[in-house]
Amino acid sequence: MIQKIGKNLDHYYLHQVVGALFYAIMLSLALNYFWLPGHVYSSGFTGLAQLVDTLTGGKINVAWAIALVNMPLLLLAWFTLSKRFAIFTAMAVLLSAAFVPLFATKTVLTPDPLINAIFGGGINGMAVGTALRCGVGTGGLDIIGMELKHQFRMKVGSVNLAFNALIMVGAGLTYGWQYALYSIIGVVVSAHFIDLFYTHQQQIQEMIVTNKPEEMTDTIQNKMRRGVTIIDSAHGGYTGRDRSILLTVITQHELPELRHAIKEVDPNAFYSESKVEHTGGRFYEPEP
C-alpha cells in the first residue's frame, strides 16, 4: 500500500517537473528564435523582462530580469495559493532564466516580424497552457490570473491580455509603433493558445438521460467530486418510457473521464454537452 502511494506521488511530481521543463525549453525557443530577431515583445512578465533589458541597455539581461520580476509573485503564490505550486512555479521560472542564454543563437529563421509574432505567441501560449495543465505556474500573470480566477471566474488568457497593454507601449516606444502592433498580434495568439491548452478552466455542462440515475449520480460524485441535479419523470417522446435527466458541470479536462463513466454505468444513456460561459455558487476547484 505504501509503495503504491509512493509511486503515485512520484508520478504526480514527475508530471509537474516535466511541465516546468517543457515550459522553460519552449519559452527559450520562442524568445531566441522569434521574439528577439523580430523585435517583438512577448506577453506577461516575460515581456516585462524584455522591457527591463531594453531600458537598462542590457545591464540586466532578459534571463536575470525573468528571475527578478517574478520574485514578488512567487512569494504571493507561496502564501496565498499553495507551497507546492509555488515551488514548481519557481522551478519553471529558474529553468527559463537558465535556458534563455543556453538556447541563444544568431540564426534568424525569418526577418518578418509578423511571422515571428505569430509563431512566438503560439509557442508561448502552448507552453504556458501545458504548464498550467500540469499544475505548474509560469510566474507573473499566471499567478495573478489564478488568484482572479478563483475569486471572479476570470480566464487566465483574458487577464494576460489586459496587462499587456503596458508592454505594447514599451514595444512602440523602443522599436516603433508598427512593432507594437506586431507584438499585440503575438499577445492575442498567445492568449488564445493558453485558453486552448489550459483545459482545466473551460467548463462544460453535461445533460444525461438515463434510467439509472442513482448509479450514475454515485459514480460522478464519488469519482469526480462533481454535484449532480436530477430531474425525475422525464417522458421519452419516441419510446414513451419514463427517464431521468441528470445535469452536471465539469471542466473540459474531465470530459473523457465523464464519458467513460457514462458508458460504464449505462451504455444506452443519451448525453449532450455544451460550453458554459459562467458559473455561480459552489464549483469544486482543486488546489493548484
Side-chain angles (χ1 to χ4, degrees):
M1 182 67 179
I2 296 177
Q3 290 180 346
K4 184 177 180 181
I5 294 174
K7 288 181 179 179
N8 289 335
L9 287 174
D10 289 342
H11 174 74
Y12 179 71
Y13 288 130
L14 179 62
H15 193 59
Q16 292 186 311
V17 170
V18 171
L21 187 62
F22 176 79
Y23 167 75
I25 293 174
M26 299 306 288
L27 175 69
S28 301
L29 293 176
L31 188 65
N32 286 297
Y33 283 89
F34 295 102
W35 290 329
L36 294 181
H39 301 301
V40 175
Y41 276 90
S42 70
S43 60
F45 273 44
T46 304
L48 180 59
Q50 289 179 264
L51 188 58
V52 169
D53 179 36
T54 301
L55 294 176
T56 60
K59 293 181 180 178
I60 302 178
N61 60 34
V62 175
W64 278 103
I66 287 174
L68 292 175
V69 299
N70 278 289
M71 286 303 172
L73 277 303
L74 291 174
L75 292 174
L76 178 66
W78 178 272
F79 290 108
T80 61
L81 292 175
S82 77
K83 293 179 174 58
R84 184 186 66 240
F85 178 77
I87 289 172
F88 284 106
T89 300
M91 178 185 296
V93 170
L94 294 177
L95 284 173
S96 300
F99 284 175
V100 166
L102 186 64
F103 283 87
T105 179
K106 294 182 179 180
T107 301
V108 177
L109 298 179
T110 174
D112 190 329
L114 179 59
I115 294 178
N116 284 312
I118 292 173
F119 276 87
I123 291 172
N124 179 66
M126 178 180 64
V128 173
T130 302
L132 290 173
R133 186 170 179 172
C134 292
V136 177
T138 58
L141 288 180
D142 292 338
I143 297 173
I144 297 174
M146 292 189 75
E147 293 278 1
L148 294 178
K149 176 175 173 286
H150 281 288
Q151 295 295 328
F152 306 106
R153 308 294 184 189
M154 295 177 65
K155 288 189 174 182
V156 176
S158 301
V159 176
N160 286 352
L161 196 60
F163 174 85
N164 288 314
L166 295 176
I167 306 299
M168 298 309 103
V169 172
L173 294 174
T174 304
Y175 298 115
W177 293 108
Q178 72 272 25
Y179 289 98
L181 297 177
Y182 292 133
S183 297
I184 290 172
I185 293 173
V187 169
V188 172
V189 171
S190 180
H192 174 73
F193 271 77
I194 290 172
D195 288 335
L196 186 65
F197 279 84
Y198 183 35
T199 54
H200 286 71
Q201 66 172 337
Q202 300 169 19
Q203 296 175 348
I204 302 292
Q205 178 176 279
E206 193 87 6
M207 183 185 75
I208 308 168
V209 181
T210 178
N211 58 1
K212 299 180 179 179
E214 291 82 9
E215 295 177 46
M216 192 76 72
T217 299
D218 289 341
T219 298
I220 294 173
Q221 289 180 339
N222 294 330
K223 289 187 177 181
M224 304 180 65
R225 295 189 65 178
R226 293 300 177 194
V228 179
T229 298
I230 303 175
I231 303 175
D232 288 318
S233 301
H235 192 70
Y238 178 76
T239 63
R241 298 176 181 176
D242 288 339
R243 294 285 189 272
S244 294
I245 297 177
L246 278 58
L247 297 176
T248 187
V249 176
I250 61 172
T251 65
Q252 179 77 32
H253 182 69
E254 296 169 316
L255 194 54
E257 183 180 357
L258 179 61
R259 289 173 178 172
H260 176 75
I262 293 172
K263 292 181 179 179
E264 184 179 18
V265 175
D266 185 5
N268 297 318
F270 171 83
Y271 60 94
S272 63
E273 298 152 359
S274 57
K275 291 185 178 181
V276 176
E277 294 296 328
H278 177 75
T279 56
R282 304 171 105 186
F283 184 79
Y284 170 67
E285 293 278 4
E287 288 189 6

